[in-house]
Amino acid sequence: MPWQLVLILITLAVPARGFAVEPPQPFTWWTTNSLAKVKPLDPVPNLAVKGVDLYAGRNEFEPFQIVLRAKLKDLSDVDVDFSDFRTAEGAEISRKNVTVYREAFVNLKRPSSIEGGVGLWPDPLIPRVDRYTNEARNVFPFTVRRDRNQPLWVEIFVPVAAFPGKYTGSARISLGGTVQFSVPINLTVWRFVLPSTATLKSSFGLNGINALKGHRGRYTNDEDLHSITGLYTKAALLHRLSTHGGDMEPPKFSYEAGKMQLDWRQYDAEVGPFLNGAAIPEGEPLHGARATSAEIRTPMVFATEEQEKLYWTEWTRHFQQNGWGDRLFLYLWDEPSSRDFPAVLKRGRVSAQVEPKLRNLLTVPFTGKLVEVVQIWVPLVNCLELKPGYPDFCDATPPPDAYASQTQSGKSLWFYQSCASHGCNIVGGQYFTGWPSYVIDVPGAANRVMPWLAWKYRMEGTLYYSMNEAYGQDNDPWVNVRLFGGNGDGTLFYPGRPDRIGGRRDIPIESIRLKLIREGMEDYEYLALLARLDGRQAADQFADRIVQKSYLWESRPEVFLQVRKELGESLDRAAARSGGTI
């Protein structure tokens, strides 16, 4: 053998002094933003991002995702932990403000519309330690499958007392207790503070009886009903949403000799803490948050209109006495057709006799035929404007001026979305693309954009028919959440039973969609604060960059989040001009 070849072989066999041979990295990994929906078989990005840059106000949640993928074989005993976050000046945000979730997948058998898809989609978020009972669950440590993506959802809550500034921290990914790599996290905390109580009003349906069925399989007892209902109502409030329905039980009443009496004890115990700001105690995120709406629970069809009027009168009196009167409404009718108008008018005229005054909410586009009985107009988002090139979807699409005249006279304008965003009981075609939507198989921006539309179209509130509709069906929501042709239509939670997620007590499992709805609600707070400091036009210019039409808005995550960052920077400068923090 030539001596030159022997020398080369020796050189290759013996590492150079001072240089260790690096073991192969068992993971492929990257980070991504909260608008991305990472499916198990999605390809690794060409330019994998290896760090996180976050921007948030105080009293705000800010999420991101870490995606793990095993290269050569399944990897078990994978875990993650976090450092504290610190500024160069020594300010600190504790790691206790970080919640990490393992994303679970739901298997979709049919798309919601032609822009949807089948197969495994991420949606349920199972926490390491939940915010409701502070119990560790069974999803950490976990296994990463070979050639399969496992995304983790991470949210950082920025406390009200946090100092503005630039914070750094990290997430550490370990395998069998040995740290494999760290994810650098940069968090810029702006000067302003978001209010705990949402500025954009809301009323999302929540059926406590169905929630109990989702956890226990059946109705068990009133104590379980009230406990489960309270957990879900708090979960909604932590996502800046108010609910209607609850435990579905109206106050007990008696009627005798022309007098109506209601027993408020059970109702006030259930709903009172959410109306007066006591449901989220001090030390927890969004401490002091209050529900922005409450609906009258009418128990039955009364024998006479006089009894119905007296019953509603007791509601308005009770709410006025407790300082809740501005949030009470009567859900007068749901999506009435023109054939229902006489009955709607009859019922509305009875409620008009109530004193103190009662506000009637009606899910219908403006019509002069019902103007005398409606105080809160709630048109479908599809009915705000026509989508060119398609037949009229709505019976009527009133011009914006019709609503402007109503709001100028003291009435309110809300809106809602429904299966009309994806196609009701069909796989929606081209018309049913581009609408805001709460289903699973749409871009993340579709779940987030509704509050941006609310700002652009001058809406005071948003309504949704249910957050747990699938719980009342025969199927397990973990297996099937398809309703009315939409995957996840009417269901924003999954039942967190200990037999599935570990721990001792039941909790709501939040969806990615619910998190994105909260992101949109926080965006609305940015717009409202900027309008307060710099005028409405200053906020409108940002909303106009996101929303062009109700069916045409920015869906590219990077562009959406860049606009939102610039909005935050503008608000931060406005806060500085106002004398510091707000």
Side-chain angles (χ1 to χ4, degrees):
M1 180 181 294
W3 69 268
Q4 294 97 335
L5 180 58
V6 172
L7 181 60
I8 292 171
L9 290 174
I10 293 172
T11 303
L12 292 174
V14 181
R17 187 181 301 274
F19 292 92
V21 176
E22 288 289 334
Q25 170 61 258
F27 292 104
T28 299
W29 68 275
W30 67 95
T31 62
T32 191
N33 58 66
S34 59
L35 292 177
K37 295 188 177 181
V38 182
K39 299 188 282 296
L41 298 179
D42 285 350
V44 178
N46 291 328
L47 296 174
V49 178
K50 299 287 188 175
V52 181
D53 292 306
L54 302 175
Y55 304 86
R58 294 178 292 159
N59 207 32
E60 179 177 4
F61 293 90
E62 195 58 27
F64 66 94
Q65 298 178 81
I66 302 171
V67 186
L68 304 176
R69 186 183 182 105
K71 288 183 177 179
L72 302 175
K73 62 178 182 179
D74 293 355
L75 297 174
S76 58
D77 201 18
V78 179
D79 213 339
V80 59
D81 71 343
F82 296 86
S83 71
D84 296 324
F85 296 82
R86 294 188 176 89
T87 67
E89 296 76 24
E92 180 178 293
I93 296 175
S94 168
R95 72 192 75 184
K96 294 178 181 178
N97 292 288
V98 178
T99 304
V100 60
Y101 305 81
R102 198 185 81 187
E103 297 181 25
F105 299 96
V106 290
N107 192 10
L108 306 185
K109 303 299 177 60
R110 296 181 68 196
S112 299
S113 73
I114 60 171
E115 70 176 342
V118 297
L120 297 175
W121 283 70
D123 198 48
L125 297 175
I126 308 174
R128 173 197 287 281
V129 178
D130 71 82
R131 288 191 179 276
Y132 306 101
T133 66
N134 201 37
E135 288 187 47
R137 302 298 170 166
N138 66 7
V139 292
F140 292 87
F142 56 93
T143 296
V144 178
R145 302 296 179 190
R146 178 187 175 187
D147 294 332
R148 297 291 190 273
N149 301 323
Q150 177 55 66
L152 304 177
W153 186 277
V154 183
E155 65 182 23
I156 302 174
F157 175 70
V158 181
V160 173
F163 286 96
K166 297 182 183 299
Y167 292 76
T168 59
S170 64
R172 295 176 291 264
I173 304 297
S174 61
L175 179 61
T178 301
V179 174
Q180 300 295 305
F181 63 88
S182 292
V183 182
I185 304 170
N186 299 311
L187 170 64
T188 297
V189 175
W190 286 316
R191 293 174 176 85
F192 53 87
V193 179
L194 301 191
S196 291
T197 299
T199 302
L200 180 63
K201 298 174 183 178
S202 61
S203 185
F204 279 45
L206 174 65
N207 187 316
I209 295 173
N210 283 349
L212 184 55
K213 180 181 177 182
H215 286 266
R216 300 285 192 270
R218 59 185 176 84
Y219 180 85
T220 52
N221 55 61
D222 286 353
E223 183 179 354
D224 286 346
L225 174 62
H226 298 151
S227 175
I228 287 291
T229 300
L231 277 177
Y232 276 82
T233 309
K234 181 178 179 180
L237 196 61
L238 280 168
H239 291 80
R240 299 183 175 272
L241 298 173
S242 302
T243 63
H244 64 260
D247 71 7
M248 313 300 287
E249 185 68 27
K252 293 180 172 60
F253 72 94
S254 62
Y255 177 75
E256 187 175 352
K259 292 185 178 180
M260 183 74 68
Q261 290 188 326
L262 275 63
D263 183 347
W264 291 102
R265 288 173 294 180
Q266 180 176 311
Y267 177 88
D268 284 357
E270 176 200 347
V271 179
F274 295 94
L275 290 169
N276 62 27
I280 301 178
E282 190 171 357
E284 293 188 17
L286 304 189
H287 162 60
R290 299 170 184 260
T292 57
S293 66
E295 94 291 2
I296 288 182
R297 298 179 186 174
T298 302
M300 54 180 283
V301 177
F302 286 92
T304 67
E305 292 180 356
E306 179 66 17
Q307 290 179 22
E308 192 168 50
K309 181 192 76 172
L310 291 174
Y311 179 81
W312 291 337
T313 296
E314 290 305 306
W315 275 84
T316 59
R317 286 176 178 171
H318 185 72
F319 269 64
Q320 289 283 7
Q321 290 167 1
N322 284 279
W324 308 332
D326 60 328
R327 287 169 278 175
L328 183 65
F329 67 86
L330 174 66
Y331 205 136
L332 188 62
W333 207 279
D334 186 49
E335 297 181 333
S337 67
S338 57
R339 295 188 303 273
D340 298 318
F341 283 7
V344 175
L345 284 168
K346 182 179 180 182
R347 193 169 195 242
R349 286 164 179 160
V350 174
S351 71
Q353 301 172 43
V354 171
E355 192 65 44
K357 290 299 182 184
L358 178 58
R359 291 168 63 81
N360 294 332
L361 179 149
L362 192 63
T363 48
V364 70
F366 172 80
T367 170
K369 296 177 181 179
L370 299 176
V371 70
E372 68 174 282
V373 297
V374 179
Q375 286 74 45
I376 305 174
W377 293 99
V378 191
L380 182 65
V381 66
N382 305 62
C383 303
L384 295 181
E385 52 196 335
L386 297 174
K387 190 174 185 180
Y390 299 94
D392 292 355
F393 181 81
C394 304
D395 291 338
T397 307
D401 289 350
Y403 296 108
S405 64
Q406 292 291 291
T407 56
Q408 289 166 7
S409 65
K411 296 187 177 183
S412 298
L413 177 61
W414 290 29
F415 69 153
Y416 73 107
Q417 61 172 268
S418 72
C419 59
S421 286
H422 54 77
C424 300
N425 297 311
I426 60 172
V427 176
Q430 192 62 42
Y431 171 81
F432 297 103
T433 62
W435 299 101
S437 178
Y438 296 151
V439 299
I440 295 169
D441 51 329
V442 292
N447 303 145
R448 180 171 178 167
V449 78
M450 195 77 166
W452 288 86
L453 269 73
W455 184 268
K456 183 177 180 70
Y457 292 96
R458 307 303 198 252
M459 303 290 174
E460 290 184 34
T462 179
L463 180 140
Y464 194 51
Y465 78 103
S466 182
M467 303 178 81
N468 67 329
E469 191 71 9
Y471 288 36
Q473 310 301 311
D474 292 333
N475 297 313
D476 185 344
W478 289 93
V479 176
N480 185 3
V481 286
R482 185 179 180 88
L483 286 171
F484 307 109
N487 295 306
D489 191 321
T491 306
L492 300 173
F493 290 110
Y494 297 83
R497 301 181 295 263
D499 63 339
R500 176 177 283 272
I501 67 167
R504 295 182 298 105
R505 288 173 285 184
D506 293 71
I507 60 167
I509 292 296
E510 302 140 2
S511 64
I512 288 175
R513 294 165 294 137
L514 182 62
K515 299 295 184 185
L516 293 177
I517 291 169
R518 179 171 65 191
E519 287 297 289
M521 296 293 284
E522 290 174 341
D523 295 341
Y524 190 95
E525 299 298 346
Y526 278 45
L527 294 165
L529 284 172
L530 184 60
R532 194 179 99 198
L533 292 175
D534 281 359
R536 176 94 195 194
Q537 187 175 1
D540 286 349
Q541 67 175 338
F542 289 102
D544 289 343
R545 291 170 62 186
I546 295 294
V547 180
Q548 296 181 45
K549 300 286 186 180
S550 53
Y551 51 82
L552 183 62
W553 34 264
E554 183 56 68
S555 61
R556 294 168 294 177
E558 294 77 12
V559 178
F560 194 114
L561 295 174
Q562 179 62 29
V563 174
R564 201 268 195 174
K565 179 189 172 192
E566 292 175 20
L567 168 61
E569 290 170 340
S570 183
L571 178 55
D572 189 55
R573 291 191 295 270
R577 290 195 301 272
S578 72
T581 61
I582 57 170

